[in-house]
Amino acid sequence: LGLNHVHYVPPPIDCEVFKPINRFESVRRLSSRFSVDPRKLENALVILYMGHVTPIRFPYIAVLKVLRQIIRGGFSAQLLIFTPSFRYNEMHAVKIRSIAESIGLGKYVSVFVRNVDQSEKPFVYNLADLFLFPAIGPTAIDPPLTILEAMACGIPVITLNTQSIPYIIKNEENGFLIKNFHSLKNVL
């Protein structure tokens, strides 16, 4: 058996759970636990990130710089960040909010430091127009389940070309593979 016979099989995602859902229904279902303002989502490109916010996993300085360029260019966008409730995520969330405020993005960036229940995840994904996975290094689970779950919800994914991701994301077919953050602006 040679390497020509090895096939990569990503982990299964329950498509009865992770599926497209109306954004208004998603906001309604999440409003009791998360203060998602539906007015901010209207007429805006909603970009979602869900996961840990360490700089390797979510290089927030680079992401915020690109978001600032997009908004300065006259484009309406909202960045929603959902991160688990761990001390290091809380510390980085404070930095993200502070940087966003200091560069004029306070009203365009929302950071939620709370554990998202499995039953809430499909509604979180369906808040978005795009799912961003900007990890610049290896992740604990390869491929990241968040990418597969977002795709199952019908949300296009923008990600860096790392690990096994190119086996799942076919550039400009079912998502976007970017080489660096300069190309992120072009995709958005």
Side-chain angles (χ1 to χ4, degrees):
L1 192 64
L3 287 179
N4 294 338
H5 294 81
V6 176
H7 297 279
Y8 177 76
V9 179
I13 299 298
D14 186 346
C15 291
E16 293 298 317
V17 174
F18 294 96
K19 60 186 177 186
I21 301 168
N22 179 285
R23 179 179 288 168
F24 297 109
E25 175 64 13
S26 294
V27 169
R28 188 185 70 72
R29 293 288 294 266
L30 296 171
S31 63
S32 64
R33 275 193 38 124
F34 303 98
S35 56
V36 177
D37 185 350
R39 293 170 296 179
K40 285 185 173 183
L41 308 183
E42 290 176 13
N43 302 316
L45 175 68
V46 180
I47 305 163
L48 171 69
Y49 171 77
M50 187 174 354
H52 296 282
V53 288
T54 59
I56 293 288
R57 186 84 184 262
F58 185 73
Y60 45 85
I61 293 173
V63 170
L64 292 174
K65 284 180 180 179
V66 171
L67 182 63
R68 181 177 60 183
Q69 291 174 340
I70 291 166
I71 289 170
R72 282 186 175 169
F75 206 71
S76 178
Q78 286 289 317
L79 175 61
L80 304 179
I81 302 167
F82 287 79
T83 187
S85 185
F86 290 110
R87 185 176 176 93
Y88 60 88
N89 283 332
E90 291 168 4
M91 293 185 317
H92 287 291
V94 168
K95 290 179 185 177
I96 293 167
R97 289 183 188 116
S98 174
I99 294 167
E101 284 292 331
S102 72
I103 63 174
L105 294 178
K107 66 181 184 178
Y108 303 103
V109 177
S110 300
V111 184
F112 303 96
V113 184
R114 294 186 104 155
N115 295 324
V116 177
D117 292 338
Q118 195 68 14
S119 64
E120 295 170 322
K121 279 184 171 185
F123 297 104
V124 171
Y125 289 116
N126 281 284
L127 292 172
D129 296 305
L130 293 170
F131 182 77
L132 178 63
F133 190 81
I136 57 176
T139 60
I141 299 173
D142 184 34
L145 293 178
T146 54
I147 288 176
L148 301 174
E149 292 167 348
M151 291 174 71
C153 290
I155 308 302
V157 175
I158 300 174
T159 183
L160 284 154
N161 190 356
T162 59
Q163 293 181 273
S164 70
I165 293 172
Y167 292 103
I168 296 165
I169 304 289
K170 302 301 178 206
N171 194 37
E172 296 185 23
E173 287 180 30
N174 63 352
F176 301 92
L177 292 171
I178 57 174
K179 295 180 182 181
N180 55 47
F181 289 99
H182 298 293
S183 57
L184 174 59
K185 180 183 171 197
N186 297 333
V187 170
L188 294 174

